[in-house]
């Protein structure tokens, strides 16, 4: 470990580890009913859990031994009451730990070190690459798209407490910390009702207002102050996107009205931010000529957010024009006094406009197909035999549709909403600007027809071809879809109608690739390699047709869903893959872990910007293809894929996950509006199961299968063929391959097989448990051999320490959850339907909530 890393680790231990022990003890003195006893007993229970798992006891044995030896409580009702209090206490320990990490962020991380903009500036100046930087910055930007996928959501009041608590902790304000801990103790965490899509939007808008507004503004100001000559006028390096309210893929609760409501909330939120900043500006810009302009702008902003039912025609350009006038007056009449304050606001207006974040619309491809079939014989251009036509015949029809007669939209709700969703985009653009909503994403896109169906929908919805300022974005996610992506895009590029559409879009094509369903479908290695190869192919084909392709990565929090060391992936891509922009989803734990505070958001945004820019200006030539290295990765991916498929096709695979994990309780945690699976069947199947609960269930089971399974088998097979030295060389020379295995380590370090070791001899599920455990051990063995390390994540000591501390906090919750599921199964097998069964089920869900929130640093 380097001296720098060692010093940072020491700061982490002092500012987070030691302080956690100190402030955690405050909980025991809080004036709440029996809380002192709860804190003392929970500490004892944690020790009992650790000792019990070392002795290979089951969760049931551990909990029963704890009650028998350490409490006088014999009644089941009293035992359950104590377990619920343990959960409530542990939830608040997680919040305290979150706040401590937030407070220590600037001290633990080098805000001017490698990967930051300050570092980029010194690199550019040292290498004299100002011209290359200017060329790169012509159209480069980072687009972060916030999604509401249910992997972590604190209620709004808790978010506020975390924010305030981190500030108090950073200032060592013990009395304020004590007050906030009391508030925390009385604030409910559990959501009794499932959030609506609008609720999810409001939760994420909190981050836009309180974090991204300031962080993105800082980065914009840095570029203007340090790279003014390189940055085109009005160009923003940071952009924000938004999915809640627009993402209707499998979510029956999102409709056109929701989309419009969320767009209005986004507009209101950014105008409120501008309004408050204008109010602060007025305290300084009290000069003649400036005060009147500020007052007029303040009034217009006020009318837009505080006068009921009034939306005035204020525009982004109007605000920028006013701020430019104020700048000129300050420069020429007032010695540029407080000019930086106006510049900072102007930079933010250029980024956020009146939309704050661009709202994407997303729907699954089969919905579009069924909508067009429902119009057969009813819409003049769609014949009765439409469904039996071939792809080319359908595309021809879709390319020449006329606006639909509104009277035809009286039947099926999905049909009606699908048309209304493309109509409402125009309304959003009117008030929020074109950037407010200008993309339509097609889930499970597996043909050129699927893309042209969206083109046809906009024509049906009343859009004229020459005015269609919408990016049609195919999403390729499964292994087969990724393999077929290039041929699909080639067909689209050859289609004259689509070619003209792209011409109107400046020959830009956005293509989304998703990691979640990829790992569910093909396992960790194959999913990541398939995406890499698909991007290479799509880059080459797009270049062949003169199209600038932009990749939009659907990444989740944990490595199994594309998370992990994201910036290292972008830095490792080289120039065979288009890096015109970096676009990615930010969801679940990643929102709070990487972007939860202004400092952490700025730091991680800078890492992404640096990765994208350095990949373009420091890679001086096309990366030469090393066919031998590619062949090794392909072999590893193929073997890993076969290994994962054998597990996935095991007759008890899904039943095992339902039996051993809280999967069937997942949708009851009330942290997301979307159902846990597609379709209406009550039975779980791998096809219908959504990637997020799939990965989340393995995470709560502490087996994390989608994050490593098959990797060990693949490495062992090639080792047996004498190829381990070549793989070591690949590991040391390829940042892409090393990052893959680094993220694999992150998934593995969060695994804890003693939790479920009681299933090792289960008559039905023992075999599958053994298969998973052996693969985990094999993968761990080979990764450590490749890296030369003695422990997983040794080269990321701070994250390693953070994960270990968090895992210790949630061990009681994991134990209680497994115990509760065992009790539920026992009652179901005995056909007992006592009220207490429902209490145990509720306990499973409460544990899920705490465990999910504690998984914050999975990205």
């Amino acid at each position: 470990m380097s001296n720098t890393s060692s010093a940072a680790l020491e700061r982490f231990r002092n500012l987070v580890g030691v302080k956690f022990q100190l402030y955690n003890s405050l909980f025991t003195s809080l004036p709440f009913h029996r809380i002192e006893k709860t804190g003392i007993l929970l500490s004892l229970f944690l020790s009992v859990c650790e000792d019990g798992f070392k002795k290979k006891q089951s969760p049931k044995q551990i909990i029963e031994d704890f009650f028998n030896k350490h409490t006088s409580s014999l009644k089941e009702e009293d035992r359950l009451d104590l377990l619920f209090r343990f959960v409530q206490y542990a939830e608040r320990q997680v919040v305290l730990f979150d706040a401590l990490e937030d407070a220590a962020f600037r001290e633990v991380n080098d805000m001017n070190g490698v990967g930051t903009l300050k570092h980029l500036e010194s690199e550019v100046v040292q290498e004299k690459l100002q011209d290359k930087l200017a060329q790169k910055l012509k159209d480069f930007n980072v687009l972060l798209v916030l999604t509401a996928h249910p992997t972590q959501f604190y209620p709004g009041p808790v978010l506020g407490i975390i924010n305030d608590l981190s500030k108090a902790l950073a200032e060592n304000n013990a009395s304020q910390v004590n007050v906030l801990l009391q508030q925390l103790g009385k604030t409910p965490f559990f959501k009794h009702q499932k959030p609506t899509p609008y609720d999810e939007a409001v939760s994420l808008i909190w981050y836009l207002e309180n974090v991204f507004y300031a962080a993105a503004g800082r980065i914009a100001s840095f570029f203007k102050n340090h790279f003014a000559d390189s940055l085109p006028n009005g160009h923003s390096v940071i952009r924000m996107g938004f999915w809640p309210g627009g993402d209707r893929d499998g979510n029956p609760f999102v409709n056109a009205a929701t989309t419009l409501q969320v767009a209005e909330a986004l507009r209101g939120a950014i105008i409120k931010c501008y309004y408050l900043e204008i109010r602060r500006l007025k305290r300084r810009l009290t000069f003649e000529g400036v005060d009147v302009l500020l007052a007029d702008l303040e009034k217009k902003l006020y009318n837009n957010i505080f006068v009921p039912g009034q939306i005035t025609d204020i525009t982004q350009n109007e605000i920028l024009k006013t701020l430019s006038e104020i700048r000129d007056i300050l420069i020429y009449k007032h010695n540029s006094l407080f000019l930086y304050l106006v510049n900072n606001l102007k930079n933010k207006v250029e980024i956020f406009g009146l939309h704050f974040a661009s709202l994407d619309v997303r729907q699954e491809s089969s919905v579009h197909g069924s909508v067009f079939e429902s119009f057969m014989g009813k819409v003049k251009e769609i014949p009765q035999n439409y469904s039996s036509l071939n792809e080319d015949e359908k595309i021809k029809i879709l390319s020449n549709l006329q606006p639909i007669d509104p009277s035809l939209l009286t039947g099926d709700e999905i049909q009606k909403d699908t048309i209304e969703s493309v109509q409402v985009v125009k309304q959003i653009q009117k008030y929020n600007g074109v950037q407010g909503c200008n993309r339509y994403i097609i889930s499970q896109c597996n043909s050129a027809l699927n893309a042209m169906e969206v083109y046809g929908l906009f024509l049906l919805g009343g859009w004229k071809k020459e005015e269609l300022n919408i990016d049609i974005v195919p999403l390729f996610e499964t292994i087969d879809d990724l393999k077929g992506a290039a041929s699909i895009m080639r067909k689209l590029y050859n289609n004259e109608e689509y070619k003209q559409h792209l011409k109107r879009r400046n020959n830009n094509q956005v293509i989304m690739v998703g990691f979640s369903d990829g790992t569910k479908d093909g396992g960790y290695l194959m999913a990541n390699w398939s995406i890499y190869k698909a991007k290479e192919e799509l880059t080459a084909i797009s270049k062949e047709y003169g199209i600038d392709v932009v990749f939009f990565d659907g990444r989740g929090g944990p490595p199994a869903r594309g998370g992990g060391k994201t910036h290292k992936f972008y830095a490792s891509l080289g120039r065979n893959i288009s890096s015109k922009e970096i676009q990615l989803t930010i969801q679940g734990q990643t929102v709070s872990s990487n972007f939860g505070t202004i400092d952490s958001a700025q730091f991680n945004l800078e890492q992404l910007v640096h990765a994208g820019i350095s990949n373009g200006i420091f890679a001086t030539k096309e990366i030469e293809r090393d066919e031998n290295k590619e062949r090794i990765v392909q072999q590893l991916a193929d073997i890993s894929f076969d290994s994962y498929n054998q597990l996935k096709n095991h007759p008890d695979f899904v039943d095992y996950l339902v039996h051993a994990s809280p999967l069937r309780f997942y949708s009851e945690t009330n942290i997301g509006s979307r159902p846990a699976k597609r379709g209406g069947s009550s039975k779980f199947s791998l096809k219908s199961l959504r990637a997020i609960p799939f990965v989340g269930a393995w995470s709560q089971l502490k087996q994390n299968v989608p994050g490593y399974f098959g990797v060990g088998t693949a490495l062992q097979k090639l080792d047996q063929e004498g190829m381990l030295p070549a793989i070591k060389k690949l590991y040391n020379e390829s940042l892409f391959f090393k990052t893959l295995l680094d993220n694999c380590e992150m998934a593995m370090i969060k695994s804890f097989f003693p939790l479920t070791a009681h299933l090792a001899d289960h008559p039905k599920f023992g075999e599958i448990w053994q298969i998973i455990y052996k693969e985990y051990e094999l993968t761990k063995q080979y990764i450590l051999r490749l890296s030369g390390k003695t422990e997983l994540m040794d080269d990321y000591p701070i994250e390693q320490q953070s994960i270990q501390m968090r895992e210790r906090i949630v061990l009681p919750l994991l134990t209680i959850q497994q115990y509760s599921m065992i009790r539920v199964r026992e009652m179901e097998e005995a056909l007992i339907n006592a009220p207490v069964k429902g209490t145990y089920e509720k306990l499973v869900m409460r544990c899920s909530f705490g465990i999910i929130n504690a998984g914050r640093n999975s990205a």
Side-chain angles (χ1 to χ4, degrees):
M1 191 189 305
S2 68
N3 290 335
T4 304
S5 297
S6 181
L9 179 60
E10 188 61 28
R11 286 194 295 272
F12 179 85
R13 285 172 174 159
N14 290 332
L15 296 173
V16 180
V18 173
K19 280 191 173 183
F20 176 75
Q21 297 302 325
L22 173 65
Y23 286 112
N24 185 42
S25 65
L26 281 177
F27 274 123
T28 62
S29 63
L30 294 179
F32 303 135
H33 175 56
R34 296 182 295 183
I35 198 155
E36 181 177 357
K37 187 177 179 182
T38 301
I40 294 168
L41 283 174
L42 178 58
S43 178
L44 177 60
F45 179 59
L46 171 59
S47 297
V48 170
C49 290
E50 291 174 326
D51 291 342
F53 285 123
K54 284 176 185 173
K55 296 173 186 174
K56 299 186 177 179
Q57 291 182 314
S58 72
K60 185 179 179 184
Q61 289 172 311
I62 289 170
I63 287 183
E64 289 183 348
D65 281 357
F66 169 77
F67 280 123
N68 292 334
K69 293 177 182 177
H70 301 288
T71 73
S72 57
S73 172
L74 297 176
K75 290 170 59 179
E76 189 169 28
E77 181 184 343
D78 293 333
R79 291 184 172 192
L80 282 166
D81 177 62
L82 182 58
L83 292 178
F84 271 110
R85 285 191 282 125
F86 281 169
V87 174
Q88 292 167 342
Y89 195 98
E91 283 176 335
R92 285 152 180 81
Q93 286 180 315
V94 171
V95 170
L96 174 60
F97 199 84
D98 285 350
L100 281 164
E101 284 198 323
D102 288 346
F105 190 90
R106 183 170 281 273
E107 299 298 320
V108 171
N109 294 275
D110 186 353
M111 301 296 286
N112 295 315
V114 175
T116 64
L117 293 183
K118 199 71 180 171
H119 179 239
L120 176 67
E121 182 186 24
S122 65
E123 287 179 301
V124 168
V125 171
Q126 189 175 338
E127 299 291 331
K128 298 179 180 177
L129 294 172
Q130 288 88 341
D131 290 343
K132 276 197 168 186
L133 178 66
Q135 186 65 28
K136 179 68 179 176
L137 287 177
K138 276 185 179 178
D139 51 16
F140 173 79
N141 61 68
V142 170
L143 170 67
L144 292 187
V145 180
L146 302 181
T147 81
H149 290 341
T151 50
Q152 181 193 56
F153 269 94
Y154 284 119
V158 176
L159 284 174
I161 295 171
I162 294 175
N163 192 271
D164 294 342
L165 188 55
S166 65
K167 288 177 184 175
L169 289 164
E171 295 165 0
N172 288 315
N173 188 338
S175 61
Q176 181 68 6
V177 170
N178 191 39
V179 170
L180 290 169
L181 288 177
Q182 290 187 52
Q183 181 186 0
L184 191 65
K186 288 182 173 289
T187 302
F189 280 43
F190 186 67
K191 299 180 179 182
H192 295 285
Q193 290 184 324
K194 190 179 284 289
T196 66
Y198 183 74
D199 294 333
E200 291 173 331
V202 169
S203 293
L204 283 180
I205 288 173
W206 186 94
Y207 284 100
L208 285 172
E209 291 177 309
N210 292 280
V211 177
F212 288 104
Y213 181 75
R218 285 181 184 177
I219 290 173
S221 294
F222 183 93
F223 271 97
K224 290 288 177 68
N225 295 335
H226 296 263
F227 300 126
D229 295 336
S230 301
L231 197 67
N233 188 39
H235 178 66
S236 299
V237 177
I238 302 294
R239 294 190 296 137
M240 299 301 300
F242 209 74
W243 271 19
D247 180 12
R248 57 221 337 112
D249 174 21
N251 193 335
F253 309 110
V254 176
N255 55 35
T258 311
T259 305
L260 191 59
Q261 186 184 19
V262 170
E264 289 172 351
L266 286 165
R267 184 179 190 273
I270 190 58
I271 290 177
K272 183 172 72 174
C273 288
Y274 296 155
Y275 173 77
L276 293 173
E277 195 153 350
I278 291 289
R279 296 272 295 178
R280 288 191 291 271
L281 273 176
K282 284 181 68 179
R283 295 173 64 90
R284 295 292 169 265
L285 303 184
T286 52
F287 319 132
E288 185 179 355
V290 174
D291 53 351
V292 176
L293 289 171
L294 276 178
D296 286 347
L297 185 54
E298 179 192 17
K299 184 178 180 182
K300 285 183 180 178
L301 295 172
Y302 179 92
N303 289 342
N304 271 271
I305 50 177
F306 294 117
V307 177
Q310 181 170 342
I311 300 181
T312 60
D313 287 333
I314 193 168
T315 65
Q316 178 187 23
N317 286 337
E318 183 182 348
I319 298 173
L320 289 172
K321 184 173 179 290
T322 302
L323 293 175
S324 293
E325 288 177 31
I326 292 171
R327 283 184 80 255
D328 291 343
I329 294 172
L330 291 179
I331 292 169
Y332 296 114
K333 293 185 178 181
H334 304 291
N335 302 316
S336 297
L337 192 59
F338 300 124
L339 180 65
Y340 71 96
L341 294 175
V342 179
N343 285 338
N344 288 346
L345 176 55
K346 187 171 180 287
N347 294 338
K348 291 170 185 170
V349 177
E350 287 176 349
I351 295 172
F352 300 116
L354 292 181
H355 60 280
F356 217 156
S358 300
L359 187 58
D360 288 342
V361 178
R362 183 171 79 129
Q363 182 57 284
E364 198 260 319
S365 61
S366 65
V367 172
H368 307 139
S370 65
V371 166
F372 283 110
E373 288 183 5
S374 73
F375 290 135
M376 292 189 304
K378 298 176 184 176
V379 172
K380 185 174 70 173
E381 296 87 1
I382 303 177
Q384 190 69 50
N385 66 338
Y386 175 82
S387 60
S388 63
L389 298 177
N390 64 37
E391 184 177 56
D392 290 337
E393 291 169 331
K394 287 181 178 179
I395 287 175
K396 189 174 181 181
I397 289 169
L398 295 169
S399 302
N400 294 286
L401 292 174
Q402 297 298 314
I404 193 169
D405 182 344
S407 66
L408 293 175
L409 300 176
T410 56
D412 181 74
E413 281 301 312
I414 292 180
Q415 175 205 83
K416 185 180 178 185
D417 177 68
T418 304
I419 300 297
E420 288 180 349
S421 68
V422 301
Q423 293 172 330
V424 83
V425 172
K426 196 170 283 188
Q427 194 173 345
I428 293 170
Q429 289 189 356
K430 179 181 177 183
Y431 293 109
N432 293 21
V434 173
Q435 288 296 317
C437 188
N438 64 352
R439 304 202 308 184
Y440 196 112
I441 298 158
I442 311 153
S443 297
Q444 299 190 34
C445 182
N446 47 46
S447 69
L449 174 63
N450 291 159
M452 292 306 294
E453 283 170 340
V454 171
Y455 183 80
L457 280 175
F458 277 91
L459 298 183
L460 273 184
W463 289 74
K464 294 177 181 177
K465 293 179 183 181
E466 61 274 13
E467 296 175 357
L468 187 53
N469 54 5
I470 305 295
D471 288 330
I472 296 171
V473 184
L475 166 54
F476 303 113
E477 200 155 12
T478 67
I479 304 303
D480 286 342
D481 286 350
L482 287 163
K483 285 178 180 175
S487 62
I488 290 172
M489 295 313 300
R490 184 182 290 277
K491 183 162 188 174
L492 281 172
Y493 292 157
N494 278 319
N495 179 274
E496 191 58 38
E497 198 71 34
Y498 195 75
K499 195 185 298 183
Q500 291 303 313
H501 170 67
L502 284 181
K503 194 173 180 181
R504 292 188 289 269
R505 301 301 294 152
N506 298 316
N507 283 324
N508 284 330
Q509 173 65 59
V510 179
I511 297 175
M512 185 174 182
V513 291
F515 288 77
S516 296
D517 278 325
T519 51
K520 189 187 88 163
D521 180 45
Y524 179 71
L525 262 188
M526 180 56 89
N528 281 278
W529 183 238
S530 296
I531 288 169
Y532 185 90
K533 294 300 291 179
K535 282 185 174 183
E536 277 195 332
E537 279 190 79
L538 290 164
T539 299
I541 285 173
S542 298
K543 192 177 291 185
E544 180 186 330
Y545 285 87
I547 303 298
D548 287 326
V549 67
V550 174
F551 292 112
F552 175 26
D553 291 322
R555 293 180 175 273
R561 291 182 43 243
K565 300 294 175 187
T566 305
H567 61 280
K568 287 198 173 183
F569 266 119
Y570 289 115
S572 74
L573 294 179
R575 299 180 70 184
N576 295 325
I577 291 176
S578 170
S579 59
K580 181 181 177 182
E581 298 180 25
I582 288 178
Q583 298 189 2
L584 70 158
T585 55
I586 300 295
Q587 52 190 265
Q589 308 99 311
T590 318
V591 178
S592 60
S593 63
N594 285 6
F595 304 95
T597 67
I598 296 171
D599 284 341
S600 64
Q602 179 185 349
F603 181 82
N604 286 295
L605 278 169
E606 287 191 16
Q607 294 284 318
L608 287 170
V609 171
H610 184 281
I613 291 176
S614 61
N615 187 41
I617 68 173
F618 297 120
T620 55
K621 62 177 182 177
E622 298 287 319
I623 290 179
E624 293 182 12
R625 285 185 176 277
D626 187 325
E627 292 185 4
N628 187 47
K629 287 180 179 177
E630 287 204 4
R631 188 162 52 247
I632 291 172
V633 180
Q634 187 66 60
Q635 284 178 279
L636 289 169
D638 288 339
I639 298 165
S640 173
F641 181 59
D642 290 342
S643 175
Y644 176 75
N645 263 347
Q646 286 180 32
L647 175 71
K648 191 177 74 171
N649 294 328
H650 191 290
D652 297 325
F653 180 68
V654 175
D655 287 346
Y656 171 77
L657 191 59
V658 173
H659 175 89
S661 79
L663 178 61
R664 64 181 173 130
F665 304 98
Y666 209 90
S667 60
E668 303 304 318
T669 53
N670 292 334
I671 58 170
S673 68
R674 206 161 59 164
K677 57 187 178 64
R678 290 181 170 93
S681 171
S682 59
K683 185 173 173 60
F684 283 98
S685 70
L686 197 59
K687 182 173 174 59
S688 67
L689 187 58
R690 287 192 171 280
I692 293 160
F694 176 76
V695 173
W698 286 113
S699 175
Q700 290 187 60
L701 190 53
K702 289 298 163 187
Q703 292 182 1
N704 287 324
V705 161
Y708 64 83
F709 196 92
V711 176
T713 295
L715 291 169
Q716 183 186 52
K717 181 82 184 299
L718 293 195
D719 179 24
Q720 291 167 349
E721 296 175 10
M723 293 177 63
L724 195 61
I727 297 172
K728 279 188 176 181
K729 189 172 186 291
L730 174 68
Y731 178 83
N732 291 322
E733 294 179 359
S734 168
L735 181 59
F736 172 78
F737 186 67
K738 185 180 184 302
T739 304
L740 267 184
L741 295 193
D742 283 353
N743 286 342
C744 195
E745 289 185 54
M746 188 182 288
M748 294 177 71
I749 201 173
K750 292 188 172 187
S751 298
F752 183 66
F753 280 86
L755 179 70
T756 51
H758 60 283
L759 294 171
D761 300 318
H762 191 280
K764 181 177 180 182
F765 300 118
E767 179 188 23
I768 203 164
W769 188 93
Q770 293 284 1
I771 290 170
I772 295 168
Y773 178 61
K774 285 174 183 174
E775 184 64 28
Y776 168 84
E777 288 293 328
L778 186 64
T779 305
K780 181 179 176 182
Q781 171 195 329
Y782 269 96
I783 284 182
L784 293 179
R785 281 179 68 182
L786 282 178
S787 65
K789 295 178 292 195
T790 55
E791 291 183 353
L792 295 172
M793 291 189 71
D794 253 1
D795 44 356
Y796 297 103
I798 293 172
E799 286 172 291
Q800 181 194 58
Q801 185 90 39
S802 173
I803 290 170
Q804 288 169 347
M805 293 180 73
R806 285 176 177 276
E807 294 298 297
R808 195 163 185 264
I809 292 171
V810 298
L811 184 60
L813 299 184
L814 293 164
T815 310
I816 294 168
Q817 184 180 69
Q818 282 291 323
Y819 166 71
S820 301
M821 288 192 294
I822 290 169
R823 292 289 294 121
V824 169
R825 286 197 297 270
E826 286 175 344
M827 283 182 266
E828 288 176 344
E829 288 164 7
L831 301 178
I832 297 172
N833 195 23
V836 73
K837 177 172 170 281
T839 307
Y840 279 112
E841 290 173 336
K842 184 179 178 183
L843 193 51
V844 173
M845 292 183 279
R846 286 303 306 272
C847 289
S848 280
F849 198 75
I851 296 164
I852 288 166
N853 283 335
R856 178 189 197 197
N857 58 357
S858 60

